[in-house]
Amino acid sequence: MGDILERCTLCPRRCGVNRYEKAGFCGEKSAVRIARASLHHWEEPCISGSNGSGTVFFSGCVLKCCFCQNYEISAEGKGFAVTERELADIFIMLQDKGAHNINLVNPTHFVPQILKALELTDGELKIPVVYNSGGYENPETLELLRGRVGIFLPDLKYYDSGLSKKFSNAADYFEKTSAAIKKMLEIAGKPMYDENGIMQRGVIVRHLVLPNCRRDSAKLIEWLSSVFEKDEILVSVMSQFTPVYKSFDFKELSRRTSTFEYNYVADLLEKSGFDGFCQRKSSADESFIPQFYGEKYF
C-alpha cells in the first residue's frame, strides 16, 4: 500500500494531497494534533461506565458540518502537535487513570499515526479501543483497524443527500456511511460486555436528531431495520443539538430540536426493536461542550 499520507486517500474525499508537504481536505498535515485528552463521563453508559472513557480529541475533520459543536478543533485549527510516542503515552496515562477504554474522537485522517502509537503500547494497553467518528469512512481505511479497534461509534447523520450536501458538504454521505457501518460490524461483531456491563466489542450507531429533519431521521431508522438484525448493533438517538458555529446560516437549524421532534424519533427507535439509548433533552446545552486547548496543558 505504501505511505498513504504521500497521496492521501484515507477518507472518502480522496484529496490525494501529500500531507507531508501541505494540509489535506481535513485541514491537517502529517503531524498528529489533538486538543484534549481526558476522562469523559458523558458517552453512552456502556462506554463511560463509572470511571469514564479515555477520550482523545483529534484536530481537523473530513466533514464540514455547519452545526459542529467541536468547531474550534474541527474547523478552526485549535490543537497542538504530539508525536506518536507521546500519543502512546497518553493512551497509557488514561488507562492508568482508570479509563474503561481509549476513545479516539474524530480520528479518520490520522489512522496510520494512531496505529503506530497503538503498536508502541503493545503489552501495556489492556483496555478496548473505541473509534468514534462522523461515520464518513472508507472501508479500506477501516480494514487497517482490524485487530486494534474493538468498538465503533459512528454517526449516521443523514439519509437525504440534499441535507448532507447542504449541512456537511458531503452529498455522498449516506452512500459512504452506510457501507462503512456494515464494514464496522464485520470487524467488531455483535456487542460484547464485561462483567460490569462495559462494552468490549461492538457497534453503536449514533444519530443526532436535527430540527426540521425528523422525517429524514425516520428514514434512517427504517434503513437500519432493513439491513441489520436487532442483536447486531446498538442505536443511540441523541437530543444534544445546539445551534453553534454556522447553524444560524440556515433558518431550519437556528433553533434547538423540539421535544416533539425528539420524542417522535425516540419512539421510532423503541418500535424498531433495537437496543440502545435515548439522551436526555437537558444535554442540549453548550455547557456540555468540553474545553479544548491550543497548546500542551499536561
Side-chain angles (χ1 to χ4, degrees):
M1 176 174 179
D3 190 339
I4 196 170
L5 296 177
E6 290 182 349
R7 187 173 176 81
C8 193
T9 56
L10 284 169
C11 83
R13 304 289 183 182
R14 298 184 183 275
C15 65
V17 166
N18 184 342
R19 286 175 53 202
Y20 293 104
E21 297 179 355
K22 62 180 182 178
F25 182 92
C26 59
E28 296 296 320
K29 298 176 75 173
S30 59
V32 176
R33 292 196 318 123
I34 68 173
R36 185 181 180 89
S38 64
L39 295 178
H40 191 60
H41 296 274
W42 300 296
E43 306 286 31
E44 287 76 5
C46 62
I47 299 296
S48 288
S50 57
N51 295 346
S53 178
T55 54
V56 181
F57 289 85
F58 292 90
S59 301
C61 190
V62 304
L63 288 169
K64 301 299 177 188
C65 300
C66 64
F67 53 85
C68 181
Q69 291 186 338
N70 298 346
Y71 66 90
E72 288 181 287
I73 66 173
S74 65
E76 295 186 345
K78 196 168 191 176
F80 53 89
V82 292
T83 66
E84 289 155 6
R85 177 70 264 176
E86 288 173 323
L87 186 58
D89 291 342
I90 288 169
F91 296 160
I92 299 303
M93 175 267 291
L94 291 169
Q95 177 177 258
D96 290 345
K97 286 187 173 183
H100 293 295
N101 44 62
I102 299 300
N103 190 343
L104 309 171
V105 181
N106 197 24
T108 309
H109 44 297
F110 290 126
V111 162
Q113 302 95 314
I114 290 168
L115 289 173
K116 290 178 182 176
L118 288 171
E119 288 176 9
L120 293 172
T121 69
D122 274 353
E124 294 184 79
L125 192 65
K126 308 295 186 183
I127 54 179
V129 177
V130 181
Y131 191 86
N132 182 343
S133 81
Y136 192 58
E137 305 282 349
N138 281 337
E140 57 266 36
T141 300
L142 296 174
E143 180 61 34
L144 299 175
L145 304 170
R146 191 183 294 272
R148 290 291 182 182
V149 169
I151 302 169
F152 291 91
L153 268 65
D155 288 337
L156 182 58
K157 299 176 186 288
Y158 319 95
Y159 185 89
D160 182 83
S161 61
L163 291 177
S164 62
K165 173 63 176 175
K166 186 176 186 179
F167 298 144
S168 296
N169 192 22
D172 60 349
Y173 178 85
F174 179 74
E175 173 194 347
K176 300 300 184 182
T177 304
S178 58
I181 292 172
K182 293 175 185 177
K183 183 67 174 181
M184 292 172 184
L185 176 61
E186 178 200 322
I187 294 171
K190 294 180 180 182
M192 295 178 58
Y193 308 88
D194 69 8
E195 64 277 8
N196 298 311
I198 302 300
M199 181 173 268
Q200 302 298 296
R201 299 192 67 83
V203 179
I204 303 176
V205 177
R206 288 172 160 174
H207 174 64
L208 175 65
V209 182
L210 298 175
N212 297 295
C213 295
R214 64 187 175 91
R215 298 197 185 282
D216 194 65
S217 298
K219 291 178 182 178
L220 290 174
I221 292 177
E222 181 181 354
W223 176 77
L224 289 170
S225 295
S226 70
V227 172
F228 299 103
E229 298 296 330
K230 301 304 183 283
D231 64 344
E232 287 186 317
I233 62 171
L234 302 180
V235 182
S236 181
V237 174
M238 301 186 296
S239 63
Q240 68 190 44
F241 177 81
T242 304
V244 294
Y245 189 40
K246 297 182 178 180
S247 296
F248 296 99
D249 293 349
F250 303 94
K251 183 179 179 181
E252 55 266 62
L253 296 184
S254 60
R255 64 167 174 84
R256 293 181 180 177
T257 304
S258 70
T259 299
F260 167 75
E261 289 168 321
Y262 180 71
N263 287 344
Y264 175 87
V265 180
D267 287 346
L268 290 176
L269 174 61
E270 184 176 359
K271 292 174 183 176
S272 74
F274 285 110
D275 284 336
F277 309 93
C278 291
Q279 198 174 44
R280 287 178 292 186
K281 280 286 288 166
S282 59
S283 299
D285 192 290
E286 289 187 51
S287 65
F288 286 95
I289 301 173
Q291 181 178 358
F292 299 118
Y293 299 90
E295 55 185 39
K296 288 182 184 177
Y297 65 99
F298 52 78

